[in-house]
Amino acid sequence: MLVPVILAGGLGTRLWPASRPEFPKPLLRLTGKRSLLQETVVRAAAIPGASPPVIVCGTTHYPPVTDQLDEIGRSIHIAILEPAGRSTAPAVAAAALVADEDDILFVMPADHMIDGMDAFLGAVRTAGDAARAGWLVTFGVTPDRPETGYGYIERGDAIEKYPGAFRIASFREKPDLATARRYVDGSLHWWNSGMFMFRAGAYLEELRDSHPDMVRLVDASLAGSTEQIGSLPDQGVYQLDPATFASCPAGSIDRAVMERTRRGAVVPLRARWNDVGSWAALWDTANKDGSGNVVTGPAHLQNVSSSYVTAGDRPVVVIGLANVVVVDAGEAVLVAGMDQAQQVKPLPETDQSGSVGPTTAERRPCRDPQPDGPPSI
């Protein structure tokens, strides 16, 4: 069975001030009536044969998550509630431990935009074939610009039995501009999307090999969890034991598994993709007016160009500026140069209790190059 695992937590810092620890980015409605989470759930439901999703989120995020799924008439197969964020590797370990070992887990961060359903479903089919055979698959996005804010995957040789899948040659850290241009001009490097597909058992095998304490403590957190809480009598809801989970080491899937495994594969995702990592990234994907502005709410612009301006319940007036971000979220206001939008992330917050941690995987160079021969599967 193919089981979407949707990571719907986070600390709420990347799109501050609209995103907060108690209401992180996946819950925001940035491009229309549906939130990023709702769009992800709808996308998962379009996969032929997929089960209802496993949702991993923070305890405090569970009520708004279920409210948003109720809005679109979607149910949860299993909910796993984290008392604290430990990044993606422990979050997915919990999902793998409650799944059957032969289930195919499709890990989907809930804060991505993907435009191109046919390309998305084609990549999922290709990845599913390889994952069922024991490969641990990630998805590489064909770059359309020299982006220095993303990690890259260098593809290796084609996997003959699974057309469209390639060995992973290496992971590349966020490059400088010259290196990013070289990657775009070539054909061997793709953006690292942070989406993965693998058998639950295969993932746990790799994680037990590299981080046995992580698996042991996640398993103990599940054993000490409170089950069947909330308002979902037909689904499993696991509140991870706080004391045990607090001692679990943190780590991303990339660092804990994908950089180490000898069974890593990458499948190209030839769709328009954006992880909405900043207000500038959102401006880049949105529809713009004749002056290159994205404007929402009661905002009034005069002699303004190439800017992102959003107003809440009160008017916002911007005059004589270019390449700026202005966000009025009621309790806080952000004004920044477009090229400084990434600097929002380090702003201090009083509550850092979000789950899952960064939903876009941390990236660093691959420690263990892929073997020349086929993997041991």
Side-chain angles (χ1 to χ4, degrees):
M1 180 167 62
L2 192 149
V3 181
V5 178
I6 297 178
L7 307 181
L11 294 177
T13 56
R14 304 184 78 190
L15 290 179
W16 187 92
S19 176
R20 299 293 187 91
E22 67 275 11
F23 203 82
K25 182 172 64 167
L27 301 175
L28 297 180
R29 305 171 196 268
L30 297 174
T31 59
K33 294 182 178 180
R34 292 199 294 227
S35 70
L36 294 174
L37 168 64
Q38 290 172 325
E39 293 286 358
T40 305
V41 171
V42 169
R43 194 179 305 127
I47 301 170
S51 75
V54 173
I55 301 287
V56 186
C57 66
T59 305
T60 57
H61 303 148
Y62 181 60
V65 164
T66 55
D67 287 346
Q68 288 201 357
L69 266 62
D70 287 343
E71 284 182 17
I72 59 173
R74 301 292 178 178
S75 62
I76 296 174
H77 175 49
I78 291 171
I80 297 171
L81 312 184
E82 294 182 301
R86 287 293 179 268
S87 197
T88 53
V92 175
L97 285 164
V98 300
D100 292 334
E101 66 174 15
D102 288 329
D103 283 344
I104 302 299
L105 306 185
F106 182 21
V107 179
M108 307 172 67
D111 58 355
H112 290 178
M113 293 180 181
I114 297 177
D115 182 14
M117 184 58 71
D118 289 343
F120 171 77
L121 293 176
V124 169
R125 284 193 298 271
T126 300
D129 291 341
R132 278 184 282 273
W135 292 88
L136 286 81
V137 185
T138 187
F139 294 78
V141 178
T142 305
D144 59 9
R145 64 185 183 278
E147 176 60 62
T148 60
Y150 293 157
Y152 288 71
I153 300 171
E154 180 184 6
R155 70 172 174 86
D157 295 335
I159 302 174
E160 292 183 3
K161 290 184 178 180
Y162 305 102
F166 301 83
R167 298 177 185 277
I168 296 173
S170 65
F171 288 87
R172 299 297 183 183
E173 184 57 85
K174 299 173 183 178
D176 59 29
L177 184 58
T179 302
R181 284 173 174 161
R182 189 171 71 251
Y183 288 170
V184 173
D185 290 341
S187 60
L188 297 180
H189 293 85
W190 294 321
W191 289 335
N192 187 352
S193 72
M195 297 189 296
F196 306 91
M197 188 179 290
F198 33 62
R199 283 195 310 107
Y203 176 73
L204 291 173
E205 287 172 10
E206 296 286 345
L207 196 59
R208 285 192 177 103
D209 183 59
S210 63
H211 290 77
D213 285 347
M214 184 183 292
V215 179
R216 177 179 59 81
L217 289 166
V218 172
D219 199 9
S221 299
L222 282 165
S225 68
T226 303
E227 297 186 44
Q228 299 292 357
I229 65 173
S231 58
L232 295 175
D234 298 326
Q235 288 84 30
V237 183
Y238 299 86
Q239 168 66 71
L240 299 181
D241 178 67
T244 307
F245 198 67
S247 61
C248 179
S252 70
I253 295 173
D254 273 324
R255 292 188 177 188
V257 173
M258 297 304 294
E259 292 179 3
R260 301 169 180 265
T261 183
R262 299 174 71 84
R263 296 186 280 178
V266 58
V267 166
L269 173 62
R270 305 187 192 282
R272 191 178 185 192
W273 168 93
N274 196 304
D275 76 342
V276 201
S278 68
W279 291 110
L282 183 58
W283 172 85
D284 184 62
T285 64
N287 294 325
K288 304 172 184 64
D289 65 18
S291 297
N293 298 313
V294 177
V295 184
T296 60
H300 305 276
L301 279 60
Q302 180 178 332
N303 194 25
V304 175
S305 63
S306 303
S307 296
Y308 186 98
V309 181
T310 182
D313 296 330
R314 56 189 175 184
V316 170
V317 179
V318 184
I319 300 174
L321 297 176
N323 301 302
V324 296
V325 174
V326 180
V327 179
D328 181 1
E331 296 180 356
V333 177
L334 167 69
V335 180
M338 188 73 73
D339 62 348
Q340 298 295 308
Q342 291 279 5
Q343 301 304 314
V344 173
K345 187 175 180 180
L347 288 173
E349 295 282 357
T350 57
D351 178 6
Q352 296 292 325
S353 60
S355 76
V356 177
T359 54
T360 298
E362 301 169 72
R363 292 118 183 174
R364 43 189 295 201
C366 183
R367 296 192 189 95
D368 185 12
Q370 297 295 300
D372 294 332
S376 175
I377 296 177

Short mmCIF file of all heavy atoms in Angstrom, two decimals, residues 142-191:
data_model
loop_
_atom_site.label_atom_id
_atom_site.label_comp_id
_atom_site.label_asym_id
_atom_site.label_seq_id
_atom_site.Cartn_x
_atom_site.Cartn_y
_atom_site.Cartn_z
N THR A 142 14.03 19.77 -11.71
CA THR A 142 14.83 20.37 -12.77
C THR A 142 14.95 21.87 -12.53
O THR A 142 13.93 22.59 -12.50
CB THR A 142 14.18 20.13 -14.14
OG1 THR A 142 13.98 18.72 -14.33
CG2 THR A 142 15.06 20.67 -15.26
N PRO A 143 16.15 22.39 -12.32
CA PRO A 143 16.29 23.82 -12.01
C PRO A 143 16.03 24.69 -13.24
O PRO A 143 16.42 24.35 -14.35
CB PRO A 143 17.74 23.94 -11.54
CG PRO A 143 18.45 22.82 -12.23
CD PRO A 143 17.46 21.69 -12.33
N ASP A 144 15.35 25.81 -13.01
CA ASP A 144 15.10 26.74 -14.10
C ASP A 144 15.83 28.07 -13.90
O ASP A 144 15.65 29.01 -14.67
CB ASP A 144 13.60 26.99 -14.28
CG ASP A 144 12.94 27.56 -13.02
OD1 ASP A 144 13.67 27.93 -12.07
OD2 ASP A 144 11.70 27.61 -12.98
N ARG A 145 16.66 28.12 -12.88
CA ARG A 145 17.45 29.32 -12.61
C ARG A 145 18.60 28.93 -11.67
O ARG A 145 18.52 27.92 -10.97
CB ARG A 145 16.59 30.42 -11.97
CG ARG A 145 16.03 30.04 -10.60
CD ARG A 145 15.08 31.10 -10.06
NE ARG A 145 14.61 30.76 -8.72
CZ ARG A 145 13.62 29.94 -8.45
NH1 ARG A 145 12.96 29.34 -9.45
NH2 ARG A 145 13.26 29.70 -7.20
N PRO A 146 19.65 29.73 -11.60
CA PRO A 146 20.77 29.43 -10.71
C PRO A 146 20.46 29.81 -9.27
O PRO A 146 20.89 30.85 -8.76
CB PRO A 146 21.91 30.25 -11.29
CG PRO A 146 21.24 31.41 -11.95
CD PRO A 146 19.93 30.88 -12.48
N GLU A 147 19.72 28.97 -8.57
CA GLU A 147 19.25 29.24 -7.21
C GLU A 147 20.34 28.86 -6.20
O GLU A 147 20.80 27.72 -6.16
CB GLU A 147 17.98 28.44 -6.94
CG GLU A 147 17.44 28.55 -5.53
CD GLU A 147 17.08 29.97 -5.16
OE1 GLU A 147 16.19 30.55 -5.81
OE2 GLU A 147 17.72 30.50 -4.22
N THR A 148 20.76 29.84 -5.41
CA THR A 148 21.79 29.58 -4.39
C THR A 148 21.20 29.20 -3.03
O THR A 148 21.94 28.82 -2.13
CB THR A 148 22.68 30.83 -4.20
OG1 THR A 148 21.86 31.93 -3.77
CG2 THR A 148 23.39 31.18 -5.50
N GLY A 149 19.88 29.27 -2.90
CA GLY A 149 19.25 28.97 -1.62
C GLY A 149 18.83 27.52 -1.46
O GLY A 149 18.35 27.12 -0.40
N TYR A 150 18.98 26.69 -2.52
CA TYR A 150 18.58 25.29 -2.47
C TYR A 150 19.81 24.39 -2.44
O TYR A 150 20.88 24.74 -2.96
CB TYR A 150 17.74 24.91 -3.69
CG TYR A 150 16.39 25.58 -3.77
CD1 TYR A 150 15.74 25.72 -5.00
CD2 TYR A 150 15.74 26.07 -2.64
CE1 TYR A 150 14.50 26.31 -5.10
CE2 TYR A 150 14.51 26.67 -2.73
CZ TYR A 150 13.89 26.80 -3.96
OH TYR A 150 12.65 27.39 -4.05
N GLY A 151 19.64 23.19 -1.88
CA GLY A 151 20.62 22.15 -2.06
C GLY A 151 20.36 21.44 -3.38
O GLY A 151 19.27 21.52 -3.96
N TYR A 152 21.39 20.78 -3.90
CA TYR A 152 21.30 20.09 -5.19
C TYR A 152 21.65 18.62 -5.01
O TYR A 152 22.40 18.24 -4.11
CB TYR A 152 22.25 20.71 -6.20
CG TYR A 152 21.85 22.08 -6.70
CD1 TYR A 152 21.93 23.20 -5.87
CD2 TYR A 152 21.39 22.26 -8.00
CE1 TYR A 152 21.57 24.46 -6.33
CE2 TYR A 152 21.03 23.52 -8.47
CZ TYR A 152 21.12 24.61 -7.63
OH TYR A 152 20.76 25.86 -8.08
N ILE A 153 21.11 17.79 -5.91
CA ILE A 153 21.46 16.38 -6.00
C ILE A 153 22.15 16.16 -7.33
O ILE A 153 21.64 16.55 -8.38
CB ILE A 153 20.21 15.48 -5.93
CG1 ILE A 153 19.48 15.70 -4.60
CG2 ILE A 153 20.58 14.01 -6.10
CD1 ILE A 153 18.12 15.02 -4.54
N GLU A 154 23.32 15.55 -7.29
CA GLU A 154 24.01 15.16 -8.52
C GLU A 154 23.62 13.73 -8.86
O GLU A 154 23.81 12.81 -8.07
CB GLU A 154 25.52 15.25 -8.32
CG GLU A 154 26.31 14.88 -9.57
CD GLU A 154 27.81 14.89 -9.32
OE1 GLU A 154 28.22 15.08 -8.16
OE2 GLU A 154 28.56 14.70 -10.30
N ARG A 155 23.05 13.55 -10.03
CA ARG A 155 22.62 12.21 -10.41
C ARG A 155 23.78 11.41 -10.96
O ARG A 155 24.70 11.94 -11.59
CB ARG A 155 21.48 12.26 -11.42
CG ARG A 155 21.84 12.73 -12.81
CD ARG A 155 20.65 12.52 -13.74
NE ARG A 155 20.88 13.07 -15.06
CZ ARG A 155 21.48 12.43 -16.06
NH1 ARG A 155 21.96 11.22 -15.86
NH2 ARG A 155 21.63 13.01 -17.24
N GLY A 156 23.71 10.10 -10.71
CA GLY A 156 24.70 9.18 -11.25
C GLY A 156 24.12 8.39 -12.41
O GLY A 156 23.32 8.90 -13.19
N ASP A 157 24.53 7.13 -12.51
CA ASP A 157 24.10 6.29 -13.61
C ASP A 157 22.62 5.95 -13.52
O ASP A 157 22.05 5.88 -12.43
CB ASP A 157 24.91 4.99 -13.63
CG ASP A 157 26.38 5.23 -13.92
OD1 ASP A 157 26.70 6.25 -14.55
OD2 ASP A 157 27.20 4.39 -13.49
N ALA A 158 22.04 5.68 -14.67
CA ALA A 158 20.66 5.24 -14.72
C ALA A 158 20.53 3.85 -14.11
O ALA A 158 21.46 3.03 -14.19
CB ALA A 158 20.16 5.22 -16.16
N ILE A 159 19.40 3.59 -13.47
CA ILE A 159 19.11 2.27 -12.93
C ILE A 159 18.33 1.52 -14.01
O ILE A 159 17.17 1.84 -14.29
CB ILE A 159 18.29 2.39 -11.63
CG1 ILE A 159 19.07 3.21 -10.60
CG2 ILE A 159 17.98 1.00 -11.06
CD1 ILE A 159 18.29 3.52 -9.33
N GLU A 160 18.97 0.54 -14.62
CA GLU A 160 18.44 -0.05 -15.84
C GLU A 160 17.05 -0.66 -15.66
O GLU A 160 16.19 -0.55 -16.54
CB GLU A 160 19.41 -1.11 -16.36
CG GLU A 160 20.72 -0.52 -16.87
CD GLU A 160 21.63 -1.59 -17.44
OE1 GLU A 160 21.19 -2.76 -17.49
OE2 GLU A 160 22.76 -1.25 -17.84
N LYS A 161 16.81 -1.31 -14.54
CA LYS A 161 15.54 -1.99 -14.35
C LYS A 161 14.38 -1.02 -14.12
O LYS A 161 13.22 -1.42 -14.22
CB LYS A 161 15.63 -2.96 -13.17
CG LYS A 161 16.51 -4.17 -13.43
CD LYS A 161 16.46 -5.12 -12.23
CE LYS A 161 17.29 -6.37 -12.48
NZ LYS A 161 17.25 -7.31 -11.33
N TYR A 162 14.70 0.24 -13.81
CA TYR A 162 13.65 1.20 -13.45
C TYR A 162 13.88 2.49 -14.24
O TYR A 162 14.48 3.44 -13.74
CB TYR A 162 13.65 1.45 -11.94
CG TYR A 162 13.52 0.15 -11.18
CD1 TYR A 162 14.63 -0.45 -10.59
CD2 TYR A 162 12.30 -0.52 -11.14
CE1 TYR A 162 14.52 -1.67 -9.95
CE2 TYR A 162 12.19 -1.75 -10.50
CZ TYR A 162 13.30 -2.32 -9.91
OH TYR A 162 13.19 -3.54 -9.29
N PRO A 163 13.42 2.50 -15.50
CA PRO A 163 13.64 3.67 -16.35
C PRO A 163 13.13 4.95 -15.69
O PRO A 163 12.03 5.00 -15.16
CB PRO A 163 12.85 3.33 -17.61
CG PRO A 163 12.77 1.83 -17.61
CD PRO A 163 12.68 1.43 -16.18
N GLY A 164 13.97 5.97 -15.75
CA GLY A 164 13.63 7.25 -15.13
C GLY A 164 14.21 7.44 -13.76
O GLY A 164 14.15 8.55 -13.22
N ALA A 165 14.78 6.38 -13.18
CA ALA A 165 15.42 6.48 -11.86
C ALA A 165 16.93 6.40 -12.03
O ALA A 165 17.45 5.70 -12.90
CB ALA A 165 14.93 5.36 -10.95
N PHE A 166 17.65 7.14 -11.19
CA PHE A 166 19.11 7.24 -11.27
C PHE A 166 19.72 7.05 -9.88
O PHE A 166 19.10 7.39 -8.87
CB PHE A 166 19.53 8.61 -11.83
CG PHE A 166 19.00 8.91 -13.19
CD1 PHE A 166 17.72 9.42 -13.36
CD2 PHE A 166 19.78 8.68 -14.32
CE1 PHE A 166 17.23 9.70 -14.62
CE2 PHE A 166 19.29 8.95 -15.59
CZ PHE A 166 18.02 9.46 -15.75
N ARG A 167 20.94 6.53 -9.87
CA ARG A 167 21.68 6.50 -8.61
C ARG A 167 22.00 7.92 -8.17
O ARG A 167 22.14 8.83 -9.00
CB ARG A 167 22.99 5.72 -8.79
CG ARG A 167 22.80 4.27 -9.16
CD ARG A 167 24.16 3.61 -9.39
NE ARG A 167 24.00 2.24 -9.86
CZ ARG A 167 23.78 1.21 -9.06
NH1 ARG A 167 23.73 1.39 -7.74
NH2 ARG A 167 23.65 -0.01 -9.56
N ILE A 168 22.13 8.13 -6.89
CA ILE A 168 22.58 9.42 -6.36
C ILE A 168 24.10 9.42 -6.32
O ILE A 168 24.71 8.58 -5.65
CB ILE A 168 22.01 9.68 -4.95
CG1 ILE A 168 20.49 9.79 -5.00
CG2 ILE A 168 22.63 10.94 -4.35
CD1 ILE A 168 19.84 9.88 -3.63
N ALA A 169 24.71 10.35 -7.04
CA ALA A 169 26.17 10.48 -7.02
C ALA A 169 26.62 11.26 -5.79
O ALA A 169 27.59 10.89 -5.13
CB ALA A 169 26.67 11.15 -8.29
N SER A 170 25.91 12.34 -5.47
CA SER A 170 26.28 13.14 -4.30
C SER A 170 25.19 14.15 -4.01
O SER A 170 24.35 14.46 -4.87
CB SER A 170 27.60 13.86 -4.51
OG SER A 170 27.49 14.83 -5.55
N PHE A 171 25.22 14.65 -2.80
CA PHE A 171 24.42 15.82 -2.42
C PHE A 171 25.36 17.03 -2.40
O PHE A 171 26.50 16.93 -1.94
CB PHE A 171 23.80 15.63 -1.04
CG PHE A 171 22.68 14.62 -1.01
CD1 PHE A 171 22.95 13.28 -0.82
CD2 PHE A 171 21.36 15.02 -1.16
CE1 PHE A 171 21.94 12.34 -0.78
CE2 PHE A 171 20.33 14.09 -1.13
CZ PHE A 171 20.61 12.75 -0.94
N ARG A 172 24.89 18.14 -2.89
CA ARG A 172 25.71 19.35 -2.94
C ARG A 172 25.10 20.43 -2.08
O ARG A 172 23.90 20.70 -2.16
CB ARG A 172 25.85 19.84 -4.39
CG ARG A 172 26.53 18.83 -5.32
CD ARG A 172 27.95 18.56 -4.91
NE ARG A 172 28.63 17.65 -5.84
CZ ARG A 172 29.86 17.21 -5.67
NH1 ARG A 172 30.55 17.59 -4.60
NH2 ARG A 172 30.40 16.39 -6.55
N GLU A 173 25.92 21.06 -1.26
CA GLU A 173 25.47 22.14 -0.40
C GLU A 173 25.02 23.32 -1.25
O GLU A 173 25.30 23.39 -2.45
CB GLU A 173 26.62 22.54 0.53
CG GLU A 173 26.30 23.60 1.56
CD GLU A 173 25.14 23.22 2.45
OE1 GLU A 173 25.33 22.53 3.44
OE2 GLU A 173 24.02 23.65 2.11
N LYS A 174 24.29 24.23 -0.63
CA LYS A 174 23.84 25.43 -1.34
C LYS A 174 25.04 26.12 -1.98
O LYS A 174 25.96 26.54 -1.27
CB LYS A 174 23.14 26.37 -0.35
CG LYS A 174 21.90 25.74 0.29
CD LYS A 174 21.33 26.62 1.38
CE LYS A 174 20.15 25.94 2.05
NZ LYS A 174 19.59 26.74 3.16
N PRO A 175 25.06 26.23 -3.29
CA PRO A 175 26.27 26.69 -3.99
C PRO A 175 26.36 28.21 -4.08
O PRO A 175 25.38 28.92 -3.85
CB PRO A 175 26.09 26.07 -5.37
CG PRO A 175 24.61 26.11 -5.58
CD PRO A 175 24.00 25.83 -4.21
N ASP A 176 27.54 28.69 -4.46
CA ASP A 176 27.64 30.10 -4.82
C ASP A 176 27.04 30.28 -6.21
O ASP A 176 26.67 29.32 -6.90
CB ASP A 176 29.09 30.58 -4.75
CG ASP A 176 30.03 29.80 -5.68
OD1 ASP A 176 29.58 29.30 -6.74
OD2 ASP A 176 31.22 29.68 -5.34
N LEU A 177 26.92 31.53 -6.63
CA LEU A 177 26.20 31.82 -7.87
C LEU A 177 26.87 31.20 -9.08
O LEU A 177 26.20 30.63 -9.96
CB LEU A 177 26.06 33.34 -8.05
CG LEU A 177 25.25 33.80 -9.27
CD1 LEU A 177 23.84 33.23 -9.22
CD2 LEU A 177 25.21 35.33 -9.33
N ALA A 178 28.19 31.26 -9.15
CA ALA A 178 28.89 30.70 -10.30
C ALA A 178 28.68 29.19 -10.39
O ALA A 178 28.46 28.65 -11.49
CB ALA A 178 30.39 31.02 -10.22
N THR A 179 28.73 28.52 -9.25
CA THR A 179 28.51 27.07 -9.24
C THR A 179 27.07 26.74 -9.61
O THR A 179 26.81 25.80 -10.37
CB THR A 179 28.85 26.50 -7.87
OG1 THR A 179 30.21 26.82 -7.54
CG2 THR A 179 28.69 24.99 -7.85
N ALA A 180 26.13 27.53 -9.09
CA ALA A 180 24.72 27.29 -9.42
C ALA A 180 24.48 27.47 -10.91
O ALA A 180 23.71 26.70 -11.52
CB ALA A 180 23.84 28.24 -8.62
N ARG A 181 25.11 28.45 -11.53
CA ARG A 181 24.96 28.63 -12.98
C ARG A 181 25.52 27.44 -13.74
O ARG A 181 24.93 27.00 -14.74
CB ARG A 181 25.68 29.91 -13.40
CG ARG A 181 24.91 31.18 -13.03
CD ARG A 181 25.73 32.42 -13.33
NE ARG A 181 24.95 33.63 -13.10
CZ ARG A 181 25.47 34.83 -12.91
NH1 ARG A 181 26.81 34.98 -12.94
NH2 ARG A 181 24.70 35.87 -12.71
N ARG A 182 26.62 26.89 -13.25
CA ARG A 182 27.19 25.71 -13.91
C ARG A 182 26.25 24.52 -13.78
O ARG A 182 26.09 23.74 -14.71
CB ARG A 182 28.55 25.39 -13.29
CG ARG A 182 29.31 24.31 -14.06
CD ARG A 182 30.74 24.16 -13.59
NE ARG A 182 30.81 23.54 -12.27
CZ ARG A 182 31.15 24.17 -11.16
NH1 ARG A 182 31.43 25.47 -11.19
NH2 ARG A 182 31.21 23.52 -10.01
N TYR A 183 25.61 24.40 -12.62
CA TYR A 183 24.65 23.31 -12.44
C TYR A 183 23.47 23.43 -13.40
O TYR A 183 23.02 22.44 -13.98
CB TYR A 183 24.13 23.31 -11.00
CG TYR A 183 25.11 22.86 -9.94
CD1 TYR A 183 24.82 23.03 -8.59
CD2 TYR A 183 26.33 22.28 -10.28
CE1 TYR A 183 25.70 22.62 -7.61
CE2 TYR A 183 27.22 21.88 -9.30
CZ TYR A 183 26.90 22.05 -7.96
OH TYR A 183 27.78 21.65 -7.00
N VAL A 184 22.97 24.65 -13.56
CA VAL A 184 21.82 24.86 -14.43
C VAL A 184 22.19 24.63 -15.89
O VAL A 184 21.41 24.05 -16.67
CB VAL A 184 21.23 26.28 -14.24
CG1 VAL A 184 20.14 26.56 -15.26
CG2 VAL A 184 20.68 26.43 -12.83
N ASP A 185 23.38 25.04 -16.28
CA ASP A 185 23.82 24.86 -17.67
C ASP A 185 24.05 23.38 -18.00
O ASP A 185 23.94 22.98 -19.15
CB ASP A 185 25.10 25.65 -17.93
CG ASP A 185 24.87 27.16 -17.93
OD1 ASP A 185 23.70 27.56 -18.10
OD2 ASP A 185 25.83 27.91 -17.73
N GLY A 186 24.39 22.60 -17.00
CA GLY A 186 24.60 21.17 -17.20
C GLY A 186 23.29 20.41 -17.07
O GLY A 186 22.20 20.98 -17.09
N SER A 187 23.39 19.09 -16.95
CA SER A 187 22.19 18.28 -16.85
C SER A 187 22.26 17.26 -15.73
O SER A 187 21.40 16.38 -15.64
CB SER A 187 21.96 17.53 -18.18
OG SER A 187 23.07 16.69 -18.47
N LEU A 188 23.25 17.37 -14.87
CA LEU A 188 23.46 16.35 -13.85
C LEU A 188 22.99 16.75 -12.46
O LEU A 188 23.00 15.92 -11.55
CB LEU A 188 24.96 15.98 -13.76
CG LEU A 188 25.58 15.37 -15.01
CD1 LEU A 188 27.05 15.06 -14.77
CD2 LEU A 188 24.84 14.10 -15.43
N HIS A 189 22.57 18.00 -12.28
CA HIS A 189 22.22 18.49 -10.95
C HIS A 189 20.76 18.95 -10.91
O HIS A 189 20.32 19.71 -11.78
CB HIS A 189 23.14 19.64 -10.53
CG HIS A 189 24.56 19.21 -10.33
ND1 HIS A 189 25.45 19.13 -11.37
CD2 HIS A 189 25.22 18.83 -9.21
CE1 HIS A 189 26.63 18.72 -10.90
NE2 HIS A 189 26.51 18.54 -9.61
N TRP A 190 20.07 18.50 -9.90
CA TRP A 190 18.68 18.88 -9.69
C TRP A 190 18.52 19.45 -8.29
O TRP A 190 19.27 19.10 -7.37
CB TRP A 190 17.76 17.67 -9.85
CG TRP A 190 17.72 17.11 -11.23
CD1 TRP A 190 17.72 17.82 -12.40
CD2 TRP A 190 17.67 15.73 -11.60
NE1 TRP A 190 17.65 16.96 -13.48
CE2 TRP A 190 17.61 15.68 -13.02
CE3 TRP A 190 17.63 14.53 -10.88
CZ2 TRP A 190 17.56 14.47 -13.72
CZ3 TRP A 190 17.56 13.33 -11.58
CH2 TRP A 190 17.52 13.31 -12.98
N TRP A 191 17.55 20.33 -8.12
CA TRP A 191 17.23 20.81 -6.77
C TRP A 191 16.76 19.65 -5.90
O TRP A 191 16.03 18.75 -6.35
CB TRP A 191 16.12 21.85 -6.84
CG TRP A 191 16.52 23.16 -7.42
CD1 TRP A 191 17.77 23.71 -7.48
CD2 TRP A 191 15.65 24.12 -8.04
NE1 TRP A 191 17.74 24.93 -8.09
CE2 TRP A 191 16.45 25.22 -8.44
CE3 TRP A 191 14.29 24.15 -8.29
CZ2 TRP A 191 15.93 26.33 -9.07
CZ3 TRP A 191 13.75 25.25 -8.92
CH2 TRP A 191 14.55 26.34 -9.31
#
